[in-house]
Amino acid sequence: MNRPEVRPDPVPSPADSARSSRPADPVGANASLAGLLACPVIPVIVVADADDAVPLARALLAGGVNALEVTLRTPAGLESIRRIAAEVPGALVGAGTVTRPAEMRAVREAGARFALSPGWAPELSEAARDEGIAFVPGVMTPSEAMAAANRGHRELKLFPASVAGGVPMLKALAGPFPDLRFCPTGGVTQDNLAQYLALPNVFAVGGSWLTPADALSARDWARITALAARAAAARG
């Protein structure tokens, strides 16, 4: 990988100065992030029909999983967040696959308590700060981890984890980045989640195995509760 060009820091504009004076942790984001850190298994949820959102959330909670990452991969994502936030008070609902700054306001207004992205972009970090929502950016390389850390992020999503190197990669990152913690997502399964959670620099794992598409289409909430309970029991 080519080393990025190092340029002198620009002279801050008045707008930059105002932005830098904002608190590092917006009001409300601290509590949401603390809640997220207490939930070591985070399902990555793709909802095709918003009518399924509430029973799905209740099924996951019944299995002991209460941090829910509802992705914006479908048109039903935002409405699903809105319904879960309004009707399932025990859920810590957040948004996944957030890739554009404008989505930060949309998910916050829908009731999302946190946002996750598959990648790193400084404009997403700024938008999250402006909206007062906890944000976990995605990284895949040490350079991206450094860039995110230099913007104040200490919790990062390693994505796609299996492609990025999985457990060996996380062990390697622990040396140069002892203050960073990761949520590996992508290739994490029931069979390997305990290996990830055993690492001291992993605060959670994320994955779609908890809400398989066939169970969702069949509205098999009992199966989803059973999958959630099995994952919760393997936290290690």
Side-chain angles (χ1 to χ4, degrees):
M1 180 178 293
N2 294 329
R3 185 181 298 276
E5 180 182 358
V6 177
R7 299 180 180 177
D9 291 333
V11 176
S13 68
D16 291 332
S17 298
R19 181 179 296 115
S20 65
S21 67
R22 298 183 182 125
D25 292 299
V27 175
N30 275 337
S32 297
L33 184 57
L36 187 63
L37 295 179
C39 302
V41 179
I42 304 171
V44 177
I45 301 169
V46 182
V47 182
D49 184 345
D51 287 342
D52 294 335
V54 169
L56 170 60
R58 289 173 176 160
L60 289 164
L61 262 66
V65 172
N66 71 314
L68 312 180
E69 177 190 343
V70 180
T71 71
L72 301 185
R73 300 178 192 179
T74 69
L78 199 62
E79 178 61 19
S80 296
I81 292 170
R82 185 175 291 110
R83 294 190 188 186
I84 293 171
E87 300 181 41
V88 191
L92 181 67
V93 63
T97 322
V98 177
T99 60
R100 297 180 297 174
E103 291 172 341
M104 288 293 181
R105 172 165 294 185
V107 300
R108 193 263 301 161
E109 290 180 344
R113 299 277 303 279
F114 61 88
L116 293 95
S117 177
W120 160 250
E123 55 267 31
L124 288 179
S125 182
E126 294 295 343
R129 182 186 295 270
D130 289 343
E131 295 301 325
I133 187 169
F135 176 49
V136 179
V139 301
M140 190 180 179
T141 67
S143 295
E144 291 171 342
M146 286 194 304
N150 286 337
R151 289 292 182 119
H153 297 283
R154 293 295 176 265
E155 288 77 30
L156 306 172
K157 175 177 180 175
L158 182 67
F159 180 81
S162 60
V163 177
V167 169
M169 176 62 159
L170 287 160
K171 289 180 177 178
L173 290 172
F177 306 116
D179 59 337
L180 300 184
R181 290 189 289 175
F182 297 86
C183 176
T185 306
V188 180
T189 67
Q190 180 65 44
D191 293 334
N192 63 19
L193 70 89
Q195 299 174 42
Y196 282 103
L197 290 175
L199 300 176
N201 63 339
V202 169
F203 71 88
V205 296
S208 58
W209 85 92
L210 290 164
T211 56
D214 59 339
L216 281 173
S217 62
R219 294 180 170 85
D220 190 346
W221 310 130
R223 179 183 170 197
I224 289 173
T225 293
L227 290 169
R230 188 181 176 201
R235 290 176 178 180

